Amino acid sequence: MTNDPTYGFDTLQIHAGAKPDPATGARQTPIYQTTAYVFRDADHAAALFNLQEVGFIYSRLTNPTVAVLQERIATLEGGVGAVCCSSGHAAQIMALFPLMGPGKNIIASTRLYGGTVTQFSQTIKRFGWSCKFVDFDDVDAVKAAVDDDTRAIFGEAIANPGGYIMDVRAIADVADDAGIPLIIDNTTATPYLCRPIELGATLVVHSTTKYLTGNGTVMGGCVVDSGKFDWSANDKFPSFSQPEPAYHGLKFHETFGPLAFTFHSIAIGLRDLGMTMNPQAAHYTLMGTETLSLRMDRHVENAMKIATWLENDDRVDYVTYAGLKSSPYFERAKSVCPKGAGGLFTFAVKGGYDACVKLVNALEIFSHVANLGDTRSLIIHSASTTHRQLSAEQQEAAGASANVVRVSIGTEDANDLIADLDQALTKATS
Ligand SMILES: *Cc1c(COP(=O)(O)O)cnc(C)c1O
């Protein structure tokens, strides 16, 4: 009942996946702080281990608190299932793991979170995987980059940090033609602002560390499956279409249909990679999801006011917020994220690198941190921090040049935030 898809987002964000605790009637989802679960008898245990019955075995695989969060995020994204993991970066590896193998590649947008650029350009090479970075505004270039070994296309709906909006539908069409899944990182947009699955995405990944939790308390990640991809249409995805030796030759797609990805991620991914979300983290994130739409509306309203104020200020060179008419992505934002272009943008300060450093030091309400999606307003100078490992060209492609700062606008009083920026800009540029 609580997952009735005809309910509105505001209802689902509170109720989806949850019901009063069957043992105690507890209305709030309990934190099941346990590692293991007692089997009814030996036959029950055998059925669970054979994946013939769904249930709880050991918390590396499944936990009742985490399971509620999985069902909630899947419902909010319009997917059939989800698997939570220990961080957003873990979620990215969990999404790629069953699709990839040595010698296989992915195609990713040049406009991504800095940590993701590093993960894809450096670390995944150690698995024998590789990534080709392409400008996603050049759809023909994305098409041309697909080869026989390409197993996924990856992009961010609202890219962190540059105020870039991806044409999700156009890139989904390229993925469909190639018979491979499109993976969307929906961290900065959240399912309230953007619905990647409705726009053609196969998988959606999240850093739940950010807006879904909302208060900057716990790390977490999630992979949501649309359930729409035909893993057996070609021979590219043997993890789902071919017999799995570790489960007596079971074929995940044949056995679990639209839930193949979700079951594989739990039964193989979490079992063997162990990037599990803990129940305390799931609890905090469940609390966060209950107010997601309320917070996102305020994040967007404040971001709009502050971006407009900054754009009209002489000490600022430019502002990249897709909610502004001056943004090249203003029109696209209306179709990709109709409820607003998020709470995150960058602006360029006259005076370059040094002025940015002074600005960050002079702010009082804004915190200088490597995070986003907090109720508190946050600022970071990407070129000297999150995007520091990137080359100057990569920084520029990601919208993180030396004269640019990124802000994550919180839910405080917008007038206080503007006054804080005003006094800090004076100190930074005088
Ligand atoms: C933070 C972030 C990540 C990584 O998530 P962690 O939870 O920090 O591992 C990935 N993508 C985006 C867009 C992010 O903002």
PDB file of all heavy atoms in Angstrom, residues 30-55:
ATOM      1  N   PRO A  30      12.842   0.834  12.752  1.00  0.00           N
ATOM      2  CA  PRO A  30      13.906   0.587  13.732  1.00  0.00           C
ATOM      3  C   PRO A  30      15.271   0.433  13.054  1.00  0.00           C
ATOM      4  O   PRO A  30      15.352   0.064  11.883  1.00  0.00           O
ATOM      5  CB  PRO A  30      13.502  -0.742  14.383  1.00  0.00           C
ATOM      6  CG  PRO A  30      12.066  -0.926  14.056  1.00  0.00           C
ATOM      7  CD  PRO A  30      11.850  -0.255  12.733  1.00  0.00           C
ATOM      8  N   ILE A  31      16.308   0.732  13.823  1.00  0.00           N
ATOM      9  CA  ILE A  31      17.668   0.462  13.367  1.00  0.00           C
ATOM     10  C   ILE A  31      17.974  -0.973  13.775  1.00  0.00           C
ATOM     11  O   ILE A  31      18.157  -1.260  14.959  1.00  0.00           O
ATOM     12  CB  ILE A  31      18.672   1.443  14.013  1.00  0.00           C
ATOM     13  CG1 ILE A  31      18.266   2.882  13.712  1.00  0.00           C
ATOM     14  CG2 ILE A  31      20.099   1.147  13.542  1.00  0.00           C
ATOM     15  CD1 ILE A  31      19.017   3.928  14.518  1.00  0.00           C
ATOM     16  N   TYR A  32      17.978  -1.873  12.794  1.00  0.00           N
ATOM     17  CA  TYR A  32      18.244  -3.291  13.082  1.00  0.00           C
ATOM     18  C   TYR A  32      19.751  -3.470  13.198  1.00  0.00           C
ATOM     19  O   TYR A  32      20.429  -3.795  12.227  1.00  0.00           O
ATOM     20  CB  TYR A  32      17.650  -4.182  11.989  1.00  0.00           C
ATOM     21  CG  TYR A  32      16.147  -4.289  12.070  1.00  0.00           C
ATOM     22  CD1 TYR A  32      15.335  -3.410  11.367  1.00  0.00           C
ATOM     23  CD2 TYR A  32      15.547  -5.259  12.876  1.00  0.00           C
ATOM     24  CE1 TYR A  32      13.954  -3.494  11.443  1.00  0.00           C
ATOM     25  CE2 TYR A  32      14.168  -5.346  12.965  1.00  0.00           C
ATOM     26  CZ  TYR A  32      13.384  -4.468  12.246  1.00  0.00           C
ATOM     27  OH  TYR A  32      12.018  -4.543  12.326  1.00  0.00           O
ATOM     28  N   GLN A  33      20.245  -3.217  14.411  1.00  0.00           N
ATOM     29  CA  GLN A  33      21.688  -3.255  14.634  1.00  0.00           C
ATOM     30  C   GLN A  33      22.095  -4.695  14.906  1.00  0.00           C
ATOM     31  O   GLN A  33      22.329  -5.097  16.051  1.00  0.00           O
ATOM     32  CB  GLN A  33      22.044  -2.320  15.801  1.00  0.00           C
ATOM     33  CG  GLN A  33      23.505  -1.981  15.867  1.00  0.00           C
ATOM     34  CD  GLN A  33      23.943  -1.148  14.663  1.00  0.00           C
ATOM     35  OE1 GLN A  33      23.502  -0.028  14.488  1.00  0.00           O
ATOM     36  NE2 GLN A  33      24.803  -1.704  13.838  1.00  0.00           N
ATOM     37  N   THR A  34      22.131  -5.480  13.834  1.00  0.00           N
ATOM     38  CA  THR A  34      22.496  -6.899  13.970  1.00  0.00           C
ATOM     39  C   THR A  34      23.269  -7.335  12.743  1.00  0.00           C
ATOM     40  O   THR A  34      23.038  -6.810  11.650  1.00  0.00           O
ATOM     41  CB  THR A  34      21.240  -7.787  14.143  1.00  0.00           C
ATOM     42  OG1 THR A  34      21.654  -9.147  14.345  1.00  0.00           O
ATOM     43  CG2 THR A  34      20.319  -7.729  12.934  1.00  0.00           C
ATOM     44  N   THR A  35      24.184  -8.266  12.949  1.00  0.00           N
ATOM     45  CA  THR A  35      24.949  -8.788  11.825  1.00  0.00           C
ATOM     46  C   THR A  35      24.267  -9.999  11.200  1.00  0.00           C
ATOM     47  O   THR A  35      24.371 -10.215  10.005  1.00  0.00           O
ATOM     48  CB  THR A  35      26.350  -9.251  12.282  1.00  0.00           C
ATOM     49  OG1 THR A  35      26.470  -9.050  13.660  1.00  0.00           O
ATOM     50  CG2 THR A  35      27.423  -8.520  11.606  1.00  0.00           C
ATOM     51  N   ALA A  36      23.584 -10.806  12.028  1.00  0.00           N
ATOM     52  CA  ALA A  36      23.056 -12.069  11.506  1.00  0.00           C
ATOM     53  C   ALA A  36      21.600 -12.263  11.919  1.00  0.00           C
ATOM     54  O   ALA A  36      21.079 -11.560  12.793  1.00  0.00           O
ATOM     55  CB  ALA A  36      23.911 -13.224  12.009  1.00  0.00           C
ATOM     56  N   TYR A  37      20.934 -13.247  11.294  1.00  0.00           N
ATOM     57  CA  TYR A  37      19.504 -13.496  11.455  1.00  0.00           C
ATOM     58  C   TYR A  37      19.312 -14.990  11.649  1.00  0.00           C
ATOM     59  O   TYR A  37      19.869 -15.790  10.882  1.00  0.00           O
ATOM     60  CB  TYR A  37      18.749 -12.996  10.216  1.00  0.00           C
ATOM     61  CG  TYR A  37      19.121 -11.554   9.903  1.00  0.00           C
ATOM     62  CD1 TYR A  37      20.276 -11.270   9.165  1.00  0.00           C
ATOM     63  CD2 TYR A  37      18.383 -10.495  10.418  1.00  0.00           C
ATOM     64  CE1 TYR A  37      20.665  -9.954   8.927  1.00  0.00           C
ATOM     65  CE2 TYR A  37      18.756  -9.175  10.185  1.00  0.00           C
ATOM     66  CZ  TYR A  37      19.909  -8.915   9.444  1.00  0.00           C
ATOM     67  OH  TYR A  37      20.299  -7.626   9.230  1.00  0.00           O
ATOM     68  N   VAL A  38      18.525 -15.373  12.635  1.00  0.00           N
ATOM     69  CA  VAL A  38      18.357 -16.802  12.961  1.00  0.00           C
ATOM     70  C   VAL A  38      17.485 -17.471  11.897  1.00  0.00           C
ATOM     71  O   VAL A  38      16.409 -16.954  11.559  1.00  0.00           O
ATOM     72  CB  VAL A  38      17.708 -16.960  14.355  1.00  0.00           C
ATOM     73  CG1 VAL A  38      17.502 -18.436  14.689  1.00  0.00           C
ATOM     74  CG2 VAL A  38      18.566 -16.272  15.411  1.00  0.00           C
ATOM     75  N   PHE A  39      17.945 -18.586  11.352  1.00  0.00           N
ATOM     76  CA  PHE A  39      17.164 -19.339  10.368  1.00  0.00           C
ATOM     77  C   PHE A  39      16.074 -20.115  11.093  1.00  0.00           C
ATOM     78  O   PHE A  39      16.281 -20.588  12.209  1.00  0.00           O
ATOM     79  CB  PHE A  39      18.073 -20.316   9.609  1.00  0.00           C
ATOM     80  CG  PHE A  39      19.265 -19.649   8.962  1.00  0.00           C
ATOM     81  CD1 PHE A  39      20.562 -20.037   9.283  1.00  0.00           C
ATOM     82  CD2 PHE A  39      19.094 -18.604   8.056  1.00  0.00           C
ATOM     83  CE1 PHE A  39      21.665 -19.424   8.704  1.00  0.00           C
ATOM     84  CE2 PHE A  39      20.191 -17.990   7.470  1.00  0.00           C
ATOM     85  CZ  PHE A  39      21.480 -18.390   7.801  1.00  0.00           C
ATOM     86  N   ARG A  40      14.908 -20.269  10.429  1.00  0.00           N
ATOM     87  CA  ARG A  40      13.812 -21.041  11.051  1.00  0.00           C
ATOM     88  C   ARG A  40      14.258 -22.485  11.265  1.00  0.00           C
ATOM     89  O   ARG A  40      14.003 -23.086  12.305  1.00  0.00           O
ATOM     90  CB  ARG A  40      12.567 -21.013  10.159  1.00  0.00           C
ATOM     91  CG  ARG A  40      11.850 -19.657  10.141  1.00  0.00           C
ATOM     92  CD  ARG A  40      10.440 -19.805   9.556  1.00  0.00           C
ATOM     93  NE  ARG A  40      10.456 -20.354   8.206  1.00  0.00           N
ATOM     94  CZ  ARG A  40      10.539 -19.604   7.094  1.00  0.00           C
ATOM     95  NH1 ARG A  40      10.609 -18.279   7.177  1.00  0.00           N
ATOM     96  NH2 ARG A  40      10.544 -20.173   5.908  1.00  0.00           N
ATOM     97  N   ASP A  41      14.916 -23.045  10.255  1.00  0.00           N
ATOM     98  CA  ASP A  41      15.457 -24.408  10.366  1.00  0.00           C
ATOM     99  C   ASP A  41      16.468 -24.588   9.230  1.00  0.00           C
ATOM    100  O   ASP A  41      16.700 -23.653   8.459  1.00  0.00           O
ATOM    101  CB  ASP A  41      14.347 -25.476  10.308  1.00  0.00           C
ATOM    102  CG  ASP A  41      13.459 -25.299   9.088  1.00  0.00           C
ATOM    103  OD1 ASP A  41      13.988 -24.912   8.016  1.00  0.00           O
ATOM    104  OD2 ASP A  41      12.247 -25.539   9.196  1.00  0.00           O
ATOM    105  N   ALA A  42      17.001 -25.789   9.102  1.00  0.00           N
ATOM    106  CA  ALA A  42      18.059 -26.023   8.113  1.00  0.00           C
ATOM    107  C   ALA A  42      17.537 -25.853   6.677  1.00  0.00           C
ATOM    108  O   ALA A  42      18.247 -25.358   5.798  1.00  0.00           O
ATOM    109  CB  ALA A  42      18.658 -27.407   8.301  1.00  0.00           C
ATOM    110  N   ASP A  43      16.288 -26.252   6.420  1.00  0.00           N
ATOM    111  CA  ASP A  43      15.724 -26.105   5.071  1.00  0.00           C
ATOM    112  C   ASP A  43      15.593 -24.628   4.697  1.00  0.00           C
ATOM    113  O   ASP A  43      15.848 -24.230   3.556  1.00  0.00           O
ATOM    114  CB  ASP A  43      14.335 -26.761   4.985  1.00  0.00           C
ATOM    115  CG  ASP A  43      14.439 -28.279   4.976  1.00  0.00           C
ATOM    116  OD1 ASP A  43      15.562 -28.786   4.746  1.00  0.00           O
ATOM    117  OD2 ASP A  43      13.409 -28.932   5.221  1.00  0.00           O
ATOM    118  N   HIS A  44      15.157 -23.817   5.667  1.00  0.00           N
ATOM    119  CA  HIS A  44      15.038 -22.375   5.453  1.00  0.00           C
ATOM    120  C   HIS A  44      16.399 -21.792   5.093  1.00  0.00           C
ATOM    121  O   HIS A  44      16.547 -21.041   4.124  1.00  0.00           O
ATOM    122  CB  HIS A  44      14.482 -21.723   6.732  1.00  0.00           C
ATOM    123  CG  HIS A  44      14.365 -20.234   6.651  1.00  0.00           C
ATOM    124  ND1 HIS A  44      14.706 -19.416   7.707  1.00  0.00           N
ATOM    125  CD2 HIS A  44      13.946 -19.406   5.657  1.00  0.00           C
ATOM    126  CE1 HIS A  44      14.502 -18.150   7.363  1.00  0.00           C
ATOM    127  NE2 HIS A  44      14.036 -18.110   6.132  1.00  0.00           N
ATOM    128  N   ALA A  45      17.418 -22.182   5.847  1.00  0.00           N
ATOM    129  CA  ALA A  45      18.773 -21.684   5.576  1.00  0.00           C
ATOM    130  C   ALA A  45      19.210 -22.070   4.160  1.00  0.00           C
ATOM    131  O   ALA A  45      19.724 -21.246   3.401  1.00  0.00           O
ATOM    132  CB  ALA A  45      19.750 -22.249   6.608  1.00  0.00           C
ATOM    133  N   ALA A  46      18.953 -23.323   3.782  1.00  0.00           N
ATOM    134  CA  ALA A  46      19.372 -23.797   2.454  1.00  0.00           C
ATOM    135  C   ALA A  46      18.656 -23.008   1.356  1.00  0.00           C
ATOM    136  O   ALA A  46      19.269 -22.611   0.355  1.00  0.00           O
ATOM    137  CB  ALA A  46      19.078 -25.285   2.317  1.00  0.00           C
ATOM    138  N   ALA A  47      17.363 -22.765   1.546  1.00  0.00           N
ATOM    139  CA  ALA A  47      16.587 -22.029   0.533  1.00  0.00           C
ATOM    140  C   ALA A  47      17.124 -20.610   0.373  1.00  0.00           C
ATOM    141  O   ALA A  47      17.231 -20.083  -0.743  1.00  0.00           O
ATOM    142  CB  ALA A  47      15.108 -21.998   0.931  1.00  0.00           C
ATOM    143  N   LEU A  48      17.487 -19.981   1.495  1.00  0.00           N
ATOM    144  CA  LEU A  48      18.037 -18.619   1.431  1.00  0.00           C
ATOM    145  C   LEU A  48      19.364 -18.620   0.679  1.00  0.00           C
ATOM    146  O   LEU A  48      19.588 -17.784  -0.199  1.00  0.00           O
ATOM    147  CB  LEU A  48      18.229 -18.047   2.840  1.00  0.00           C
ATOM    148  CG  LEU A  48      16.964 -17.713   3.633  1.00  0.00           C
ATOM    149  CD1 LEU A  48      17.339 -17.305   5.055  1.00  0.00           C
ATOM    150  CD2 LEU A  48      16.176 -16.588   2.968  1.00  0.00           C
ATOM    151  N   PHE A  49      20.214 -19.577   1.012  1.00  0.00           N
ATOM    152  CA  PHE A  49      21.536 -19.613   0.375  1.00  0.00           C
ATOM    153  C   PHE A  49      21.452 -19.964  -1.110  1.00  0.00           C
ATOM    154  O   PHE A  49      22.314 -19.602  -1.891  1.00  0.00           O
ATOM    155  CB  PHE A  49      22.472 -20.592   1.115  1.00  0.00           C
ATOM    156  CG  PHE A  49      23.136 -19.961   2.304  1.00  0.00           C
ATOM    157  CD1 PHE A  49      22.605 -20.091   3.574  1.00  0.00           C
ATOM    158  CD2 PHE A  49      24.301 -19.208   2.140  1.00  0.00           C
ATOM    159  CE1 PHE A  49      23.218 -19.490   4.672  1.00  0.00           C
ATOM    160  CE2 PHE A  49      24.910 -18.608   3.231  1.00  0.00           C
ATOM    161  CZ  PHE A  49      24.372 -18.744   4.500  1.00  0.00           C
ATOM    162  N   ASN A  50      20.390 -20.674  -1.519  1.00  0.00           N
ATOM    163  CA  ASN A  50      20.215 -21.021  -2.934  1.00  0.00           C
ATOM    164  C   ASN A  50      19.481 -19.918  -3.707  1.00  0.00           C
ATOM    165  O   ASN A  50      19.165 -20.102  -4.879  1.00  0.00           O
ATOM    166  CB  ASN A  50      19.390 -22.303  -3.069  1.00  0.00           C
ATOM    167  CG  ASN A  50      20.250 -23.531  -2.867  1.00  0.00           C
ATOM    168  OD1 ASN A  50      21.469 -23.460  -2.991  1.00  0.00           O
ATOM    169  ND2 ASN A  50      19.612 -24.646  -2.554  1.00  0.00           N
ATOM    170  N   LEU A  51      19.138 -18.817  -3.036  1.00  0.00           N
ATOM    171  CA  LEU A  51      18.343 -17.733  -3.625  1.00  0.00           C
ATOM    172  C   LEU A  51      16.954 -18.218  -4.053  1.00  0.00           C
ATOM    173  O   LEU A  51      16.338 -17.649  -4.943  1.00  0.00           O
ATOM    174  CB  LEU A  51      19.063 -17.096  -4.833  1.00  0.00           C
ATOM    175  CG  LEU A  51      20.425 -16.439  -4.582  1.00  0.00           C
ATOM    176  CD1 LEU A  51      20.976 -15.836  -5.870  1.00  0.00           C
ATOM    177  CD2 LEU A  51      20.343 -15.371  -3.500  1.00  0.00           C
ATOM    178  N   GLN A  52      16.472 -19.287  -3.415  1.00  0.00           N
ATOM    179  CA  GLN A  52      15.118 -19.762  -3.735  1.00  0.00           C
ATOM    180  C   GLN A  52      14.089 -19.018  -2.894  1.00  0.00           C
ATOM    181  O   GLN A  52      12.906 -18.991  -3.197  1.00  0.00           O
ATOM    182  CB  GLN A  52      14.993 -21.270  -3.454  1.00  0.00           C
ATOM    183  CG  GLN A  52      15.707 -22.110  -4.506  1.00  0.00           C
ATOM    184  CD  GLN A  52      16.113 -23.473  -3.989  1.00  0.00           C
ATOM    185  OE1 GLN A  52      16.177 -23.713  -2.778  1.00  0.00           O
ATOM    186  NE2 GLN A  52      16.402 -24.372  -4.924  1.00  0.00           N
ATOM    187  N   GLU A  53      14.532 -18.437  -1.799  1.00  0.00           N
ATOM    188  CA  GLU A  53      13.639 -17.677  -0.941  1.00  0.00           C
ATOM    189  C   GLU A  53      14.360 -16.382  -0.580  1.00  0.00           C
ATOM    190  O   GLU A  53      15.583 -16.387  -0.408  1.00  0.00           O
ATOM    191  CB  GLU A  53      13.326 -18.486   0.331  1.00  0.00           C
ATOM    192  CG  GLU A  53      12.165 -17.931   1.123  1.00  0.00           C
ATOM    193  CD  GLU A  53      11.843 -18.805   2.345  1.00  0.00           C
ATOM    194  OE1 GLU A  53      11.822 -20.051   2.223  1.00  0.00           O
ATOM    195  OE2 GLU A  53      11.639 -18.225   3.414  1.00  0.00           O
ATOM    196  N   VAL A  54      13.594 -15.288  -0.513  1.00  0.00           N
ATOM    197  CA  VAL A  54      14.208 -14.016  -0.174  1.00  0.00           C
ATOM    198  C   VAL A  54      14.098 -13.807   1.333  1.00  0.00           C
ATOM    199  O   VAL A  54      13.027 -14.012   1.916  1.00  0.00           O
ATOM    200  CB  VAL A  54      13.500 -12.859  -0.922  1.00  0.00           C
ATOM    201  CG1 VAL A  54      14.094 -11.517  -0.524  1.00  0.00           C
ATOM    202  CG2 VAL A  54      13.622 -13.065  -2.428  1.00  0.00           C
ATOM    203  N   GLY A  55      15.203 -13.449   1.958  1.00  0.00           N
ATOM    204  CA  GLY A  55      15.173 -13.216   3.400  1.00  0.00           C
ATOM    205  C   GLY A  55      16.515 -12.713   3.871  1.00  0.00           C
ATOM    206  O   GLY A  55      17.385 -12.416   3.053  1.00  0.00           O
TER     207      GLY A  55
END
